[in-house]
Amino acid sequence: MGNFKNVFKSLRTAGGYTQQEIADKLNISRSTIGMYETGAREPDYNTLELIADFFNVDIDYLLGRTDKTTSLPESIYYLNDDARDIAEFMFRNPEYKVLFDASRKVKKEDIEFVKQMIDRVRGDVDDTGC
């Protein structure tokens, strides 16, 4: 697959991700990530698409066929709608970044509850509570 192993590792390290973090985000094993990076294994087409979408690059760039990537639409950058919604919220509300950083392993419902509490404390919500 050309230069995939080097491009993939370069994208991972440039993004500051560990092999385990990428494995978790792509729902594949860490050992598979390691094999991709050594060239012992190559991803199937579906996995290749997931990787390209995750790093927001086109497949030709990922395979090492070109040195430049085509800028892909933001709508396909994220693996799912929830991730895109969270990223958009963070972009529009940077004051919540500390909450996001602290909540990486917290359930979505708990994050929403804390956000509502912060809004109430800040006076952003009309609260007539008892």
Side-chain angles (χ1 to χ4, degrees):
M1 248 193 220
N3 200 25
F4 170 77
K5 67 180 186 177
N6 296 323
V7 173
F8 178 67
K9 184 173 184 176
S10 176
L11 288 168
R12 178 184 64 78
T13 57
Y17 298 104
T18 65
Q19 287 183 349
Q20 187 62 57
E21 289 170 328
I22 292 297
D24 292 344
K25 291 180 185 299
L26 298 176
N27 198 29
I28 54 180
S29 71
R30 198 235 24 100
S31 63
T32 299
I33 299 298
M35 287 187 275
Y36 289 165
E37 291 184 1
T38 63
R41 186 171 175 183
E42 296 177 342
D44 61 25
Y45 186 75
N46 289 336
T47 305
L48 200 59
E49 283 184 315
L50 282 175
I51 294 168
D53 288 350
F54 179 79
F55 288 111
N56 197 25
V57 297
D58 57 68
I59 291 178
D60 280 340
Y61 179 81
L62 193 56
L63 295 176
R65 294 179 181 167
T66 180
D67 291 338
K68 293 186 177 186
T69 184
T70 303
S71 181
L72 300 175
E74 209 174 280
S75 63
I76 64 170
Y77 177 77
Y78 297 99
L79 294 176
N80 62 51
D81 291 340
D82 285 341
R84 182 177 41 256
D85 292 345
I86 290 170
E88 184 175 338
F89 176 82
M90 294 305 302
F91 177 75
R92 296 178 193 277
N93 302 282
E95 67 273 16
Y96 288 102
K97 183 177 184 320
V98 69
L99 174 61
F100 179 76
D101 290 342
S103 65
R104 291 179 188 239
K105 293 187 179 186
V106 177
K107 291 186 286 181
K108 183 179 177 179
E109 299 82 30
D110 294 336
I111 293 170
E112 183 60 31
F113 175 76
V114 171
K115 179 190 164 300
Q116 290 172 1
M117 293 297 104
I118 291 171
D119 286 344
R120 287 180 181 172
V121 168
R122 289 176 52 199
D124 294 345
V125 175
D126 225 2
D127 186 17
T128 59
C130 301

